[in-house]
Amino acid sequence: MTGTTQVSTAKDVPTEQDVQFLRQAYQEALAGFQEGGIPVGAVMVKDGQIIARGRNKRMQEGDAVMHGETDCLRAAGLREDYGEIDLYTTLSPCMMCTGAILHFGIKRVVVGEDTNFPGNIDFLKKCGVQVVLVDDAQCKSLMSKFIAQRPDIWFEDIAGNETV
């Protein structure tokens, strides 16, 4: 047998609460899709409570950096406790959002899926962020539907960087 085997730890397995909060991020993604935008949603959670919500609004607001995660960070406002907050996002973060996660010291990210876009899960892990990949069928399906319907907007959003 060749290659390496990755062993899951209990920290890598989504909890029931993780799935519930991811459903809230999915609702943000769905709202964005229904508005004609890119379906990526996010929520930030502290002590079991949602403190901020966001979704990709690049198309709706004509704002090149308004990804789901950055919209959520903006909604959270200025804080000193990012290290105590979990971020839930429907899609693996792009390099810009990965940078924001690292910049603000978010220590745990729950990701809905990385099939449609692999993003930067490995990089986040290398930088000490705990990443939980849910591999959620609804997240995958909604993004697949969007990419099939609007490949032009999708490829513009990721700037042709299908791997980061």
Side-chain angles (χ1 to χ4, degrees):
M1 184 169 157
T2 60
T4 60
T5 302
Q6 289 189 337
V7 178
S8 278
T9 66
K11 293 189 322 184
D12 297 332
V13 178
T15 66
E16 185 176 317
Q17 188 175 28
D18 286 336
V19 174
Q20 290 173 357
F21 286 128
L22 184 62
R23 290 276 61 80
Q24 295 299 308
Y26 175 81
Q27 291 303 314
E28 291 294 323
L30 184 59
F33 179 78
Q34 292 168 341
E35 295 166 354
I38 299 161
V40 178
V43 297
M44 295 174 77
V45 175
K46 181 177 180 185
D47 297 329
Q49 299 294 317
I50 294 175
I51 60 166
R53 298 172 174 273
R55 61 180 166 269
N56 187 308
K57 296 178 182 172
R58 293 185 78 240
M59 302 310 298
Q60 298 94 312
E61 296 186 11
D63 184 338
V65 296
M66 190 57 74
H67 284 196
E69 299 90 339
T70 56
D71 184 41
C72 194
L73 279 162
R74 183 173 281 166
L78 298 174
R79 306 183 68 94
E80 295 181 2
D81 60 351
Y82 289 110
E84 302 168 20
I85 294 170
D86 294 343
L87 174 66
Y88 293 79
T89 180
T90 57
L91 186 66
S92 183
C94 71
M95 189 53 78
M96 178 181 69
C97 294
T98 294
I101 289 164
L102 296 174
H103 179 78
F104 289 104
I106 295 169
K107 299 198 180 327
R108 184 168 186 270
V109 178
V110 178
V111 175
E113 67 109 343
D114 69 348
T115 302
N116 287 295
F117 181 71
N120 294 281
I121 290 175
D122 289 338
F123 184 69
L124 283 167
K125 288 180 178 181
K126 286 178 187 174
C127 292
V129 177
Q130 179 191 351
V131 180
V132 177
L133 177 61
V134 177
D135 197 31
D136 183 79
Q138 284 185 301
C139 292
K140 286 193 278 192
S141 177
L142 183 60
M143 183 55 74
S144 292
K145 181 178 177 180
F146 173 78
I147 293 169
Q149 290 178 357
R150 298 302 311 263
D152 55 327
I153 293 173
W154 172 243
F155 288 114
E156 187 275 330
D157 181 61
I158 60 172
N161 295 314
E162 295 182 40
T163 59
V164 295

